Amino acid sequence: MALADRYLTLQRDVHSGEVLARGGDPEAHSILQRTGFIPIVRVHERYHRLPTGLDEAEEERLATRAVARLRAVHYHVNCDAAFETELREAHSLPLGALVAHQAERIRRRPPPKRSRTP
């Protein structure tokens, strides 16, 4: 993985007022989407934005949470001062990874002992 993929910017766009996240790799994109960001894919660019219709407090809460989750897994995030946090929130695994992890735990569990009844 390229080192450049470990860097993101998460800022409010000065023209539109939208909260935008740019950069990162597929893991960062997954974290952003599970935090509430919407992926935008255009011909020459890819980025994430928060949904429209949120109030400013909710936008700041979600953006701050995304910063905390990304930094918890060692991404370098350049963000607006309003989104800055010292928290490092663990991000949850995608559903498929959670199911695979649970299946592995079940496979490793020893079979139950059966009692003999006369």
Side-chain angles (χ1 to χ4, degrees), residues 52-66:
T52 57
L54 300 176
D55 63 17
E56 193 170 324
E58 182 67 5
E59 288 178 340
E60 286 185 15
R61 187 187 72 77
L62 290 172
T64 302
R65 190 170 196 190

Side-chain angles (χ1 to χ4, degrees), residues 10 20 39 42 55-56 60-62 64 71 75 85 88 106 116 118:
L10 204 153
L20 304 177
R42 298 211 169 128
D55 63 17
E56 193 170 324
E60 286 185 15
R61 187 187 72 77
L62 290 172
T64 302
R71 287 182 176 165
Y75 283 93
T85 181
R88 299 298 180 260
I106 291 170
R116 294 185 171 198

Side-chain angles (χ1 to χ4, degrees), residues 5-118:
D5 291 338
R6 302 299 291 185
Y7 287 88
L8 292 98
T9 60
L10 204 153
Q11 300 170 326
R12 187 175 298 278
D13 185 71
V14 294
H15 303 291
S16 68
E18 292 181 305
V19 177
L20 304 177
R22 297 182 187 277
D25 59 7
E27 180 185 10
H29 299 172
S30 176
I31 292 168
L32 287 166
Q33 289 172 32
R34 284 181 278 127
T35 307
F37 282 76
I38 298 169
I40 306 297
V41 180
R42 298 211 169 128
V43 175
H44 297 291
E45 68 178 334
R46 171 180 286 185
Y47 62 94
H48 289 76
R49 68 168 175 80
L50 284 176
T52 57
L54 300 176
D55 63 17
E56 193 170 324
E58 182 67 5
E59 288 178 340
E60 286 185 15
R61 187 187 72 77
L62 290 172
T64 302
R65 190 170 196 190
V67 170
R69 287 179 171 185
L70 289 163
R71 287 182 176 165
V73 288
H74 308 291
Y75 283 93
H76 302 280
V77 183
N78 180 19
C79 64
D80 288 349
F83 311 144
E84 193 61 57
T85 181
E86 292 299 318
L87 293 176
R88 299 298 180 260
E89 180 181 331
H91 73 288
S92 57
L93 295 172
L95 182 59
L98 288 173
V99 171
H101 176 70
Q102 187 65 22
E104 183 61 29
R105 287 182 61 205
I106 291 170
R107 276 193 292 274
R108 290 183 183 179
R109 188 179 311 161
K113 294 183 180 181
R114 296 183 184 203
S115 62
R116 294 185 171 198
T117 56

